Amino acid sequence: MSADGAFSRSRLLPSLLGIVLLLMGLALLAGGIKLSMLGGSLYYLLAGIGLMLTGGLLLADRYAALSLYAVVLFASTVWALWEVGLDWWQLVPRLALLFALGIVMLLPWFRRPLRTGEFNPVGTGVLSAAVVIAGIAALASLFTNPGEIKGELDRDAVPGMTNTAPAMPDGDWNSYGRSAHGDRYSPLAQITPQNVSKLVPAWTYRTGDLPGPNDPGETTAENTPLKANGMLYVCTPHSQVIALDPDTGKELWRFDPKLSTQNAANFKGWAHMTCRGVTYHDDAAYASEQSPTGTANAPVASVCPRRIFLPTADTRLIALNADTGKMCEDFGNGGQVDLTTNIGEFTAGGYYSTSPPAVTKDLVVIGGHVTDNVSIDEPSGVIRAFDVHTGKLVWNWDSGNPDDTTPIAEGKVYTRNSPNMWSIFSVDEKLGMIYLPMGNQTPDQFGGARTPESELHAAGLTALDIATGKVRWHFQFTHHDLWDMDVGGQPTLMDLKTADGVKPAVLASTKQGSIYVLDRSNGQPIVPIKEIPVPQGAVEGDYTSPTQPMSDLNFVPPTLKERDMWGVTPFDQMLCRIDFKSLRYDGMFTPPSLQGSIVYPGNFGVFDWGGISVDPVRQIAFVNPSYMAFKSKLIPAAEIAKQGPRVSETEGVQPNKGAPYGVILEALLSPMGLPCQAPAWGYVAAVDLTTNKTIWMHKNGTVRDSSPVPIPLSMGVPSLGGAFTTASGVAFLSGTLDQYLRAYDVKNGKQLWEGRLPAGAQTTPMTYTGKDGKQYVLVVAGGHGSLGTKQGDYVIAYKLSE
């Protein structure tokens, strides 16, 4: 072998790295020029020049490459520290690649082929110093926790405060939110912070209900089962109801409604299959109530004294015998009510109820999901109350015609396109009110054609009289909503201790991050609500409200800045910055635009349908805020056909037929599919409701199941679904993007236990007591089509090991 051949081969690594640095520099230079033209950071342009020059020097075998690279690395470290400080998840992705290449360049066998005549120890020393400084900065950032709040609750109870939710056996879970108050608080205390680590699977049941080829859209498992009548009641995405033995998970009965597809297979992308829950009604629970004459009411004679009410994906409300699973023949038409009555035309899959109805002594009350952004001629968002025994329509409240609640005449149609209520009701039978978290009038991002009636009740909370359906009060949380800020969470009712005494409160968690606290008897704010100025400048034909209401109790994130754009490498960071600077963004409530606007918080919200959990004795709220930016771009109607078909409610162009604009709505993601804004993206937190102060707040969840490499990095991920708390001071949450059920100490937020799940669990777990006297924790793990989590059909119960 010749000396020239050996020398040539020894130069291979510097030459290869030189080529790599040239290509990296060229990419950064090109992107940096575009970013600088948009008014963004000059760093990427300058770094690109530095890397290209370094690459050229390496190809020329020049030792000066080390000194120049040292300047690039040192300047990058200073720039990164200036932008983000000692924030590990923002600092390290900025420096990791450059740091690793610096290490390579310091290796003796890398430097040896460079021209020895130009050897300069200063270059090696400078590069060594730059590498050490970058490494020290990264190590120091390991010990910081930006965005987190450390604290501890100093009490086990507030004197005189008790759980005032409707009574039921301590070991039951009779409603979606455990009680009709939607508090998600259990008085059970067998599982404690001290022993929760001993939780083990007690049983697993598989429903057999998995996504099918003819589903009209995404299949999402969002069910919270009930525990009542000595059974567990589970509903599946395809509207099946299954009764299980609470101790063993053995199937006791199953009801399959034999869904009609309504030809929905031809309309893929327009709907999703889900069932958040069913509703339980027991005549005996009301038998001891006093009639107006002062005598006890006799139980209503019924073929089904205990009933399960099931909303189906093909637009029916079915009453089942809770003992046997047979249809209650005395309800409606042979056990069911057709919810398409008086609704008018709609696209298959475009109208049905995804959430459980509410029940009172005499009524079952149901709303409906209306598919967003299809057209300006969609079904009404009417709320209907039926006799709980006969299925006869008692009253209807249509937000497009809010004053007339008399049952609609045969052949008439409810107001088209009026705001709907797709989420979960709360009920206070003592005050005689039912509380509606309201959506808005579709389309979501263009409101130029909305009626005054629809504007009045949209995107807020409306309280109706149970007996008549008449409006008792209402409060709007988003004026002229152009961001899909419908109120997704079930309102939470509790008695709240305030400086002015104990008040009957309703807490409404919202997508924009505010938790509005109102007196549920009259709708007056208990926690102050301020009207804040917001960005203006809607598209032609629309307008924006000059202000929006913000509660003093809120988890509203800071306004995004360019430096908040994130990625795992400098390249996707740069591309996210270009995206950010290319879009319109003036802060929260930036109007939709033809240019494209950033929506932050996004329409998955800080809080969505999972709502919040409260401990009425400790007077705290346990919450799981999420932070994901979205972007929306209005498309002129004449150009919609060029955009291709709609895929789902968050993918493809949303046509808004009849409106001047369609819209493309999607998450603000990097080319690698990760959020463009920096982590953390999800937290758990506790709020002291006597002071409205956050006690503690910790990032929650890992990227194990959502990153290309399944490493359980604790970055804090979004969660979709709710939590529950217990009298012993333990909270449970399963809704994160990784497949875990977790337990937390409500006093300080410490994670006490986690159980690995076989699928995503974007649901709200629950707890109950079995016939064996043991406390169980139950979760449905079925995955979520919209979020892309692993799908399944699992119902899993845990209890303490013996």
Side-chain angles (χ1 to χ4, degrees):
M1 181 181 296
S2 68
D4 287 345
F7 179 72
S8 176
R9 285 193 297 276
S10 67
R11 292 175 51 196
L12 180 61
L13 185 58
S15 297
L16 285 177
L17 185 57
I19 293 171
V20 168
L21 290 177
L22 272 173
L23 294 175
M24 288 173 56
L26 183 62
L28 289 179
L29 177 63
I33 291 173
K34 183 170 184 178
L35 181 59
S36 63
M37 292 176 65
L38 292 169
S41 172
L42 293 174
Y43 165 77
Y44 297 92
L45 185 156
L46 298 175
I49 294 172
L51 291 180
M52 289 180 68
L53 291 175
T54 302
L57 290 172
L58 285 176
L59 289 173
D61 301 330
R62 304 296 295 270
Y63 213 93
L66 274 65
S67 297
L68 180 56
Y69 190 80
V71 172
V72 173
L73 179 56
F74 179 75
S76 297
T77 303
V78 172
W79 166 78
L81 288 170
W82 172 71
E83 279 210 325
V84 300
L86 295 176
D87 182 339
W88 168 268
W89 287 115
Q90 291 208 66
L91 185 68
V92 169
R94 282 168 163 82
L95 299 178
L97 180 58
L98 298 178
F99 175 81
L101 294 177
I103 294 289
V104 171
M105 294 173 71
L106 285 173
L107 296 174
W109 44 267
F110 178 89
R111 292 183 283 113
R112 194 174 296 126
L114 300 177
R115 293 185 183 179
T116 56
E118 292 186 0
F119 174 72
N120 183 348
V122 173
T124 304
V126 170
L127 180 55
S128 298
V131 168
V132 169
I133 291 170
I136 290 173
L139 287 172
S141 68
L142 276 171
F143 302 98
T144 65
N145 292 290
E148 295 202 352
I149 298 171
K150 293 185 177 180
E152 185 148 354
L153 183 67
D154 59 0
R155 61 177 183 262
D156 286 317
V158 171
M161 300 308 297
T162 61
N163 182 17
T164 56
M168 73 179 77
D170 285 355
D172 279 6
W173 191 283
N174 284 2
S175 296
Y176 176 84
R178 185 173 185 271
S179 76
H181 281 194
D183 48 16
R184 297 182 184 81
Y185 170 78
S186 170
L188 297 182
Q190 193 178 107
I191 298 172
T192 68
Q194 291 72 39
N195 65 22
V196 68
S197 62
K198 297 180 181 180
L199 279 181
V200 295
W203 53 261
T204 298
Y205 172 83
R206 301 196 65 173
T207 68
D209 189 339
L210 291 165
N214 292 321
D215 288 342
E218 297 157 339
T219 298
T220 62
E222 299 178 353
N223 176 234
T224 298
L226 305 184
K227 161 59 166 43
N229 192 32
M231 303 182 197
L232 291 169
Y233 298 102
V234 177
C235 76
T236 73
H238 291 83
S239 307
Q240 296 180 31
V241 181
I242 305 165
L244 303 177
D245 182 282
D247 291 48
T248 66
K250 178 183 177 182
E251 183 177 314
L252 301 175
W253 56 256
R254 176 189 290 251
F255 174 78
D256 185 347
K258 305 296 183 184
L259 292 180
S260 163
T261 65
Q262 296 178 331
N263 202 29
N266 294 330
F267 297 92
K268 284 185 177 293
W270 298 94
H272 46 249
M273 305 295 294
T274 194
C275 177
R276 292 190 184 91
V278 295
T279 306
Y280 177 72
H281 183 273
D282 187 351
D283 287 342
Y286 297 96
S288 61
E289 287 191 358
Q290 296 294 307
S291 70
T293 61
T295 59
N297 290 325
V300 175
S302 171
V303 297
C304 296
R306 290 168 294 278
R307 297 179 177 225
I308 294 293
F309 287 99
L310 167 69
T312 70
D314 58 358
T315 331
R316 289 177 285 166
L317 176 61
I318 297 176
L320 302 175
N321 188 317
D323 298 334
T324 66
K326 304 297 183 183
M327 293 176 69
C328 299
E329 296 292 334
D330 60 347
F331 183 80
N333 182 14
Q336 61 186 358
V337 169
D338 181 2
L339 296 178
T340 65
T341 304
N342 303 105
I343 286 294
E345 295 183 356
F346 62 92
T347 301
Y351 176 81
Y352 60 103
S353 295
T354 57
S355 297
V359 292
T360 68
K361 176 179 180 291
D362 300 311
L363 300 174
V364 54
V365 188
I366 193 165
H369 163 90
V370 177
T371 303
D372 292 336
N373 302 327
V374 176
S375 75
I376 62 171
D377 185 27
E378 292 301 307
S380 172
V382 63
I383 309 299
R384 285 174 280 189
F386 300 95
D387 185 286
V388 77
H389 296 105
T390 68
K392 179 183 177 181
L393 182 64
V394 176
W395 55 257
N396 39 229
W397 182 74
D398 178 355
S399 57
N401 183 24
D403 297 326
D404 185 4
T405 62
T406 304
I408 193 169
E410 184 177 352
K412 298 290 185 180
V413 176
Y414 294 112
T415 307
R416 300 289 287 178
N417 222 39
S418 59
N420 65 316
M421 196 230 77
W422 55 266
S423 187
I424 302 100
F425 302 89
S426 293
V427 177
D428 186 335
E429 292 198 71
K430 290 183 179 178
L431 287 177
M433 280 189 268
I434 183 168
Y435 302 90
L436 284 56
M438 293 296 296
N440 59 25
Q441 181 176 351
T442 188
D444 290 327
Q445 285 77 29
F446 180 79
R450 293 178 186 167
T451 65
E453 294 82 6
S454 71
E455 291 280 59
L456 184 64
H457 291 284
L461 195 62
T462 295
L464 303 181
D465 185 277
I466 290 175
T468 66
K470 296 288 187 180
V471 175
R472 296 273 288 269
W473 58 261
H474 62 91
F475 198 105
Q476 190 169 74
F477 302 142
T478 304
H479 306 320
H480 194 64
D481 178 14
L482 300 176
W483 306 272
D484 192 19
M485 291 298 168
D486 42 7
V487 185
Q490 180 183 22
T492 300
L493 313 184
M494 66 180 295
D495 284 0
L496 191 61
K497 188 170 185 178
T498 74
D500 300 322
V502 176
K503 292 190 176 182
V506 54
L507 286 69
S509 57
T510 59
K511 293 181 178 180
Q512 61 265 41
S514 278
I515 300 176
Y516 298 92
V517 185
L518 311 175
D519 187 319
R520 68 177 184 267
S521 68
N522 55 30
Q524 295 302 306
I526 294 176
V527 173
I529 299 171
K530 300 181 179 68
E531 291 284 341
I532 60 168
V534 294
Q536 299 296 291
V539 293
E540 183 180 355
D542 206 347
Y543 67 94
T544 51
S545 171
T547 63
Q548 293 289 351
M550 182 181 289
S551 172
D552 279 3
L553 173 53
N554 72 76
F555 286 83
V556 174
T559 299
L560 289 173
K561 295 181 170 56
E562 183 195 331
R563 65 171 178 258
D564 297 318
M565 294 301 102
W566 186 82
V568 295
T569 71
F571 305 100
D572 50 333
Q573 294 164 24
M574 177 182 68
L575 292 173
C576 279
R577 286 175 181 250
I578 291 172
D579 206 6
F580 178 82
K581 296 297 289 187
S582 300
L583 296 165
R584 181 182 176 188
Y585 181 63
D586 304 314
M588 191 172 174
F589 297 112
T590 298
S593 64
L594 295 168
Q595 171 187 350
S597 298
I598 291 178
V599 185
Y600 186 63
N603 72 328
F604 266 41
V606 176
F607 304 108
D608 203 349
W609 54 262
I612 63 175
S613 171
V614 299
D615 182 329
V617 179
R618 291 181 175 86
Q619 293 278 285
I620 64 169
F622 181 93
V623 302
N624 54 305
S626 296
Y627 299 99
M628 282 282 292
F630 275 63
K631 54 185 179 181
S632 66
K633 182 177 182 179
L634 296 178
I635 307 296
E639 300 178 15
I640 290 175
K642 304 175 186 177
Q643 301 295 321
R646 167 180 165 140
V647 179
S648 70
E649 287 189 22
T650 55
E651 189 175 355
V653 66
Q654 316 296 306
N656 295 343
K657 184 178 180 181
Y661 306 98
V663 66
I664 296 175
L665 179 68
E666 55 192 358
L668 183 62
L669 300 178
S670 76
M672 298 186 71
L674 295 171
C676 267
Q677 96 260 14
W681 306 298
Y683 294 84
V684 287
V687 178
D688 186 338
L689 295 174
T690 67
T691 64
N692 305 318
K693 303 296 184 183
T694 300
I695 305 166
W696 53 261
M697 182 169 173
H698 305 309
K699 62 185 179 183
N700 183 55
T702 73
V703 294
R704 172 174 175 171
D705 298 303
S706 53
S707 65
V709 181
I711 301 174
L713 300 174
S714 299
M715 299 176 69
V717 295
S719 54
L720 188 61
F724 73 83
T725 54
T726 66
S728 65
V730 183
F732 288 86
L733 173 70
S734 68
T736 51
L737 293 186
D738 56 351
Q739 295 165 203
Y740 289 96
L741 171 66
R742 293 185 171 93
Y744 313 84
D745 189 324
V746 300
K747 285 192 172 183
N748 53 33
K750 179 182 178 182
Q751 183 178 306
L752 302 170
W753 170 86
E754 65 181 15
R756 180 71 175 162
L757 300 172
Q762 283 66 57
T763 57
T764 302
M766 51 84 76
T767 188
Y768 65 91
T769 300
K771 292 175 288 186
D772 59 2
K774 304 295 185 181
Q775 181 182 355
Y776 291 75
V777 175
L778 187 80
V779 64
V780 173
H784 198 282
S786 298
L787 296 179
T789 55
K790 183 179 179 181
Q791 296 196 295
D793 61 343
Y794 300 89
V795 182
I796 306 172
Y798 297 83
K799 69 176 180 179
L800 297 173
S801 60
E802 297 297 337

